[in-house]
Amino acid sequence: MERRIKSILSGTEGLKAVRRNALIHIFTLFIALPGRVNFLAMARHGRFSEKTYRNHFEEKFDFFKFNKQLAEQFCSSHRIIAGDCSFIPKSGKRTPHLAKFWSGCASKSLPGLEISSLAVVDIDTNRAVHLECEQTPGDLSDNESRIDFYVDQLIRRAEDLKKLADYFVYDGAAAKKKFVDGIVENTELHLVSKLRRDANLRYLYTGPRKPGPGCPRQYDGKIWWNNIETDRFDICHESDEIIIYTAVVNSVSLKRNVRIAYVRKKGTDSYVVLFSTDMNLDGFLIYKYYKARFQIEFLFRDAKQYTGLTHCQARSENKLYFHFNCSLTSVSLAKIDFFDKVENQGSPFSMKNITDYYSAKLFLDRILSKLDIELTSDKFDFDYEELLNTAGALA
C-alpha cells in the first residue's frame, strides 16, 4: 500500500519529500488506528506531534487528482461516476456549514454536516473508488439551493470526469429539472437516475401526421404505471425475478424526452422507473448502472465504521475537508490492497480484516522500534508474520 501511494505522490508537482512522507504515514494511520481517529489518537500511536498533524490537515491537497490516478490503475474501462451525499453528526457553534441535513439512518433532518461525494464504480467488478467529497454549504442565499451546489460540484470537475466515464449516476434526488438541465447543458456526461413511482410520463406519437394546418402531434397519452401498454415497450431483459421494459418517452416534469427502464418484479405489483438522458442507452444498462451506484454507500459505511469519517474534532474547513477525504480514500486504498493480494477476485471484501491487520502491524512495529537491537542482523532471526499474528491477538 505504501509503495502504491508513494508512486502516485512521486508524480505530483511541487510536493516536497516531507509532505509526501507525512501523507503516506497519515493514509496508513487512518486504517491502522484502533478506536477513534482524531489528532490525539494520531499523536499517541503515530510518529508526529498533535500540532504537526493539525498543520498537515490544514495544508491543501488535491485528493481528486490522487484518486483519479488510483481509479485509472484499479478500475477497468467499463465504469461510471456515482454521486451521493452522507450526513455527518457534528456540533459546535463555530463549525463551518453547520445546519440541518437529511439523515437516512434517522429518516429525518438533524443538525450536523453533509458531504457531497463523487466516486468511480467499476461495472465489471462492482467496486467503488472514492474521488472527492466536499461539504454542502449550510448557509445558502435566497436564490440558491443545495441542488445548485451539487450540480456546480460536478461542473467544476466535468472535464476530468468525462475522461473517466460517460455516465453520471445519482439517486432519485436528481430527478428534478434544475438538476438534469444543469448536467446536460453544462457537461458532456449523461445522467442516469430514478423517477418517482407516480412520475407523469407520456408516450411519444409515432403515427402519420394528420392533414391540415397546425403543429404536428407529439404525444400519445399518459403512461399508467399499474397498467402499461406493453406493445409500446421493448423487453430488454427478463429473468426469473424481474422483467425490464424500455422505451423513449416524454417527462412532463423534466420537460424533455428520456429513455426509461421500467423494472417490474414478477408475481408482485412492485416496480421502479429508471431513466437516462442518453436515448441510445440500453435499458438493461440503465438498470445495471443504477444498481452499481449503491457501491458508493459501502464507501460511506466502511469509512464511518473503520476509518473515522465522523470522528474529526476540528473546526477549520480545510481540516474537515482533509479528514473526510482521507477517511474515504483510505477505504479505497484498503480495498485495492486486498484485491492485489488475493488470487480469487470474487473474494468477499472485509474492511474489518484489513484494519485488524494494520492495527496489529502498527502495534508490533511500535514495540520492535523500541528494542535496542539490529533487526536486520543474522543473529536476530524471527518470523515476522508469526509475531504479527501474536500482536493481533494481543491487540
Side-chain angles (χ1 to χ4, degrees):
M1 184 187 297
E2 292 182 357
R3 286 196 299 269
R4 183 185 296 275
I5 300 171
K6 187 176 182 179
S7 66
I8 296 176
L9 294 178
S10 298
T12 304
E13 296 182 2
L15 193 66
K16 297 181 180 180
V18 174
R19 174 67 167 168
R20 183 174 63 248
N21 294 333
L23 287 171
I24 296 172
H25 170 66
I26 291 171
F27 278 129
T28 54
L29 200 59
F30 261 76
I31 301 174
L33 274 182
R36 299 188 66 82
V37 181
N38 52 36
F39 296 126
L40 185 62
M42 288 179 181
R44 182 181 297 121
H45 297 280
R47 55 173 180 254
F48 302 137
S49 66
E50 185 177 343
K51 183 177 180 181
T52 302
Y53 286 114
R54 289 182 181 274
N55 291 338
H56 277 292
F57 274 53
E58 184 67 27
E59 190 175 344
K60 291 185 178 181
F61 177 69
D62 193 346
F63 280 95
F64 184 89
K65 183 178 180 181
F66 177 87
N67 289 313
K68 180 175 176 286
Q69 295 182 56
L70 203 62
E72 289 172 338
Q73 294 178 10
F74 179 62
C75 299
S76 68
S77 58
H78 192 191
R79 53 203 179 201
I80 60 171
I81 306 298
D84 203 1
C85 297
S86 182
F87 174 76
I88 306 294
K90 194 82 165 70
S91 59
K93 295 181 180 180
R94 296 185 182 180
T95 301
H97 305 302
L98 189 70
K100 277 197 170 185
F101 295 98
W102 178 259
S103 170
C105 293
S107 297
K108 61 180 180 180
S109 294
L110 295 174
L113 305 178
E114 183 185 78
I115 55 172
S116 177
S117 182
L118 299 174
V120 177
V121 181
D122 189 339
I123 300 299
D124 294 338
T125 59
N126 208 33
R127 300 170 194 153
V129 175
H130 172 68
L131 279 176
E132 184 185 36
C133 71
E134 297 180 14
Q135 273 189 259
T136 304
D139 48 345
L140 295 169
S141 64
D142 296 335
N143 299 325
E144 291 181 319
S145 68
R146 287 170 185 171
I147 290 180
D148 294 318
F149 169 76
Y150 303 146
V151 174
D152 181 65
Q153 180 188 14
L154 193 71
I155 292 174
R156 282 186 276 108
R157 297 295 190 181
E159 187 176 345
D160 291 321
L161 292 175
K162 179 62 178 177
K163 296 176 183 178
L164 290 170
D166 295 324
Y167 295 93
F168 174 64
V169 188
Y170 209 86
D171 62 15
K176 295 178 175 62
K177 187 177 186 301
K178 181 186 286 189
F179 202 116
V180 176
D181 290 349
I183 293 174
V184 173
E185 295 173 5
N186 297 287
T187 74
E188 297 180 8
L189 297 170
H190 294 292
L191 176 66
V192 174
S193 187
K194 179 182 177 181
L195 291 167
R196 290 164 52 119
R197 285 176 55 86
D198 59 348
N200 188 7
L201 303 185
R202 300 177 287 190
Y203 296 108
L204 298 181
Y205 179 72
T206 57
R209 176 172 179 173
K210 292 182 179 180
C215 182
R217 184 177 179 183
Q218 291 182 285
Y219 312 116
D220 198 19
K222 178 182 172 67
I223 301 177
W224 300 99
W225 296 112
N226 290 324
N227 187 25
I228 66 168
E229 300 176 34
T230 55
D231 57 323
R232 293 175 179 257
F233 291 84
D234 296 323
I235 298 177
C236 60
H237 176 76
E238 185 173 6
S239 66
D240 296 335
E241 297 180 353
I242 62 171
I243 183 169
I244 303 176
Y245 298 91
T246 184
V248 176
V249 299
N250 177 263
S251 171
V252 176
S253 63
L254 300 180
K255 296 183 180 180
R256 66 170 60 244
N257 294 343
V258 293
R259 164 74 67 176
I260 66 166
Y262 175 75
V263 185
R264 177 175 284 276
K265 189 174 182 180
K266 288 185 175 180
T268 68
D269 295 331
S270 177
Y271 67 89
V272 294
V273 185
L274 310 176
F275 79 94
S276 172
T277 56
D278 183 6
M279 308 301 168
N280 299 317
L281 183 61
D282 182 73
F284 178 65
L285 283 180
I286 296 177
Y287 166 75
K288 194 173 182 179
Y289 289 171
Y290 190 81
K291 188 177 179 181
R293 182 207 69 85
F294 198 78
Q295 291 299 314
I296 195 174
E297 302 287 357
F298 295 133
L299 289 178
F300 294 144
R301 180 200 66 185
D302 290 339
K304 288 182 178 181
Q305 291 181 355
Y306 300 108
T307 59
L309 182 62
T310 61
H311 295 173
C312 186
Q313 297 176 338
R315 294 178 297 183
S316 163
E317 192 168 348
N318 288 342
K319 290 186 178 74
L320 289 169
Y321 170 84
F322 189 96
H323 183 100
F324 295 148
N325 280 282
C326 194
S327 175
L328 289 163
T329 301
S330 298
V331 176
S332 298
L333 288 167
K335 190 179 297 185
I336 294 172
D337 182 59
F338 172 78
F339 285 107
D340 275 349
K341 294 177 180 178
V342 298
E343 295 182 1
N344 182 12
Q345 292 298 302
S347 301
F349 168 73
S350 172
M351 187 67 191
K352 186 178 187 305
N353 291 343
I354 302 295
T355 54
D356 286 348
Y357 174 85
Y358 277 95
S359 294
K361 187 175 184 301
L362 179 69
F363 179 65
L364 177 60
D365 291 344
R366 185 69 178 271
I367 293 176
L368 293 177
S369 67
K370 299 298 182 181
L371 299 178
D372 189 20
I373 53 176
E374 181 60 45
L375 299 181
T376 58
S377 173
D378 293 336
K379 295 181 179 180
F380 190 77
D381 185 20
F382 68 96
D383 188 339
Y384 184 84
E385 290 298 325
E386 183 180 351
L387 289 177
L388 193 59
N389 293 331
T390 305
L394 293 174

